[in-house]
């Protein structure tokens, strides 16, 4: 199954490369990436694997690990957390939600303080609540990143204050962002809240797109003197007759708050205006039924283990034509979900996307007589 998923990923990379028939916009950032989270395709990017300092974008992984603890019932939103002096004293010049060692605070308030107010004190308090101490929590952050496939990321703390061992990339951050939305949609809603009041102090969400674009519902900003201004933004807009589609932009290392907002909006608008996401096939849908030799069944249905959605330049979807390439002859036994061919979507005679096709059912070997008969038939062909 892992090999099959890798093949699917490779096919989407091929689709991403083909999508570049639409010129990418110029973005005033050190690196950037635009992901269609609906199809899983990278639409466009510049230096997406360049190592950067993630600053407060780190807090998205802190939230992810905390959400996992809530899912696993190791905490609840109502759990009251005693504030340590370490959390209270975190860099006084940095962003804080102003928790107090004398006043326990709920996990729910800490998550709001983390994602809306970008509180570094909230990050430390959550780390201690989930894992007992920061070091153990950071181990959990790195473990989750590795599981999600974030190959060029390392976390050194839960808040993103400068540390040489705290780094990531635009590509990895897009994986992290899409994972939060996919795995914890009920908690992701916090990111869309425009302001939060704690300890009689009201602070606004630093994601200015929440005021400028009603389709934007998250996710996080970051800034340090050394990293510049960065933002992960996500938006949902109608996708014709196919419901909605979601895009995630990652813009890193801009010169100001206004520039990161402007460039993130530019990327999102460009992606929605120039591309469509279309559903080609449903999970388990048979795209073809083909002969099987020496099997308990004479035919097998071919299809996919998941819904197949692809992102293509506008106007291309209607031109795609499927061409199935099989590994003939198909000889039993065949395992269910084993790859038996490739479906290529052609446009003007050129392959746009190549997708691995699998056997939708298991086919066991036929009896000795059936195998002998098919062996003779194959020999005569």
């Amino acid at each position: 199954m892992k090999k099959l998923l890798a093949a699917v990923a490779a096919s989407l990379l091929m689709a991403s490369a083909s999508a570049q028939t639409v010129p990418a916009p110029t973005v005033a950032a050190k690196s950037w990436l635009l992901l269609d989270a609906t199809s899983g395709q990278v639409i466009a990017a510049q230096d997406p694997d360049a190592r950067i300092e993630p600053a407060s974008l780190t807090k998205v992984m802190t939230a992810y690990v905390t959400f996992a603890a809530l899912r696993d019932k190791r905490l609840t939103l109502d759990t009251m957390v005693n504030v340590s002096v370490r959390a209270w004293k975190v860099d006084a010049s940095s962003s804080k939600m102003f928790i107090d060692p004398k006043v326990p605070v709920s996990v729910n308030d800490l998550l709001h303080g983390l994602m809306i107010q970008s509180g570094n004190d909230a990050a430390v308090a959550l780390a201690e609540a989930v894992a007992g101490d920061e070091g153990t929590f950071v181990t959990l952050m790195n473990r989750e990143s590795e599981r999600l496939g974030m190959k060029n990321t390392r976390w050194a703390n839960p808040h993103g204050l400068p540390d040489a061992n705290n780094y990531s990339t635009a590509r990895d951050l897009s994986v992290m962002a899409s994972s939060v939305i996919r795995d914890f949609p009920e908690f992701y809603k916090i990111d869309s809240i425009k302001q939060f009041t704690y300890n009689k102090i009201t602070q606004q969400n630093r994601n200015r797109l929440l005021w400028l674009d009603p389709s934007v519902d998250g996710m996080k900003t970051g800034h340090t003197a050394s990293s510049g201004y960065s933002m992960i933004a996500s938006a949902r807009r109608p996708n014709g007759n196919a419901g909605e589609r979601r895009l995630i932009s990652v813009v890193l290392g801009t010169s100001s708050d206004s520039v990161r907002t402007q460039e993130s909006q530019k990327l999102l608008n460009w992606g929605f205006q120039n591309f469509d996401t279309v559903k080609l096939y449903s999970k388990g849908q048979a795209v073809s039924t083909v002969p099987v030799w020496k099997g308990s069944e004479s035919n097998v249905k071919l299809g996919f283990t998941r819904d197949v959605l692809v992102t293509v330049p506008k106007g291309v979807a209607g031109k795609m034509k499927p061409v199935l390439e099989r590994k003939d002859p198909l000889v039993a036994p065949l395992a269910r979900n084993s790859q038996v061919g490739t479906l290529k979507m052609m446009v003007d005679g050129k392959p746009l996307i190549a997708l691995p096709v699998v056997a939708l059912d298991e086919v066991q070997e036929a009896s000795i007589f059936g195998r002998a008969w098919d062996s003779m038939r194959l020999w005569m062909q």
Side-chain angles (χ1 to χ4, degrees):
M1 180 59 73
K2 287 184 179 179
K3 290 182 179 179
L4 179 61
L5 291 175
V8 171
S11 71
L12 292 180
L13 287 175
M14 180 179 179
S16 174
S18 300
Q20 296 312 304
T21 53
V22 179
T26 300
V27 179
K30 292 178 182 177
S31 65
W32 58 268
L33 180 145
L34 182 64
L35 172 73
D36 188 309
T38 306
S39 66
Q41 285 175 231
V42 174
I43 300 177
Q46 176 181 295
D47 295 329
D49 299 311
R51 182 182 292 188
I52 56 89
E53 178 188 336
S56 281
L57 302 183
T58 300
K59 294 184 175 82
V60 177
M61 181 51 69
T62 298
Y64 187 92
V65 174
T66 304
F67 296 157
L70 290 166
R71 176 198 61 203
D72 298 340
K73 302 190 185 308
R74 289 180 280 130
L75 292 174
T76 71
L77 290 174
D78 295 327
T79 298
M80 300 305 293
V81 177
N82 292 320
V83 178
S84 70
V85 172
R86 182 180 179 86
W88 176 57
K89 282 191 171 182
V90 69
D91 192 343
S93 64
S94 67
S95 55
K96 304 179 76 170
M97 71 175 286
F98 300 103
I99 51 179
D100 186 332
K102 303 185 193 70
V103 182
V105 56
S106 71
V107 168
N108 186 52
D109 281 348
L110 287 172
L111 282 170
H112 283 69
L114 179 81
M115 298 306 292
I116 301 169
Q117 300 177 327
S118 199
N120 293 322
D121 49 356
V124 175
L126 283 170
E128 293 173 344
V130 171
D133 59 79
E134 274 189 84
T136 304
F137 186 82
V138 168
T139 298
L140 296 178
M141 293 172 70
N142 286 310
R143 185 181 301 163
E144 285 297 283
S145 295
E146 183 177 355
R147 184 184 64 81
L148 294 172
M150 299 168 64
K151 298 179 179 179
N152 297 302
T153 294
R154 187 73 184 170
W155 308 112
N157 58 56
H159 38 62
L161 288 170
D163 188 305
N165 293 314
N166 204 67
Y167 56 84
S168 189
T169 67
R171 191 185 307 279
D172 281 2
L173 292 173
S174 74
V175 171
M176 176 182 71
S178 60
S179 297
V180 168
I181 297 168
R182 178 195 66 222
D183 297 342
F184 302 107
E186 70 277 24
F187 298 130
Y188 170 65
K189 294 176 183 178
I190 294 172
D191 292 5
S192 65
I193 299 173
K194 293 180 179 179
Q195 66 181 31
F196 179 62
T197 300
Y198 182 79
N199 200 12
K200 299 182 180 180
I201 300 170
T202 299
Q203 298 184 63
Q204 289 191 336
N205 196 316
R206 291 164 174 79
N207 182 354
R208 306 305 175 206
L209 287 179
L210 293 175
W211 284 265
L212 299 173
D213 184 343
S215 72
V216 172
D217 57 9
M219 165 175 291
K220 190 72 185 72
T221 62
H223 168 255
T224 64
S226 52
S227 69
Y229 292 80
S230 301
M231 178 187 287
I232 302 171
S234 184
R236 290 185 302 173
R237 296 185 191 175
N239 187 39
N241 295 325
E244 291 183 321
R245 63 190 281 236
R246 178 180 291 281
L247 298 186
I248 296 173
S249 64
V250 182
V251 173
L252 306 173
T254 71
S255 59
S256 68
D257 179 7
S258 61
V259 171
R260 73 181 171 193
T261 302
Q262 169 188 302
E263 300 304 89
S264 297
Q265 182 76 86
K266 179 197 296 183
L267 264 183
L268 293 170
N269 286 341
W270 176 80
F272 282 117
Q273 291 165 2
N274 290 283
F275 295 86
D276 291 317
T277 297
V278 294
K279 184 176 181 179
L280 299 181
Y281 300 99
S282 298
K283 176 182 177 180
Q285 177 185 348
V287 300
S288 183
T289 300
V290 300
V292 179
W293 299 87
K294 302 183 182 182
S296 57
E297 303 291 336
S298 58
N299 297 290
V300 67
K301 293 179 180 179
L302 307 185
F304 302 95
T305 58
R306 62 181 187 89
D307 290 349
V308 177
L309 296 101
V310 297
T311 301
V312 294
K314 284 190 179 295
V316 167
K319 300 178 181 179
M320 292 190 292
K321 299 183 183 302
V323 175
L324 177 63
E325 297 179 354
R326 304 197 314 253
K327 296 178 180 178
D328 285 337
L330 295 182
V331 180
L334 287 178
R336 186 171 182 269
N337 293 337
S338 58
Q339 185 177 347
V340 294
T342 301
L343 187 73
K344 292 184 177 179
M345 302 303 296
M346 310 294 289
V347 176
D348 298 328
K350 297 180 181 179
L352 177 70
I353 306 157
L355 299 162
V357 177
V358 303
L360 294 178
D361 298 299
E362 177 186 11
V363 180
Q364 298 180 353
E365 281 188 324
S367 67
I368 188 170
F369 300 107
R371 296 199 304 273
W373 173 248
D374 277 0
S375 293
M376 183 173 66
R377 292 173 61 205
L378 280 169
W379 179 78
M380 293 175 65
Q381 281 195 343

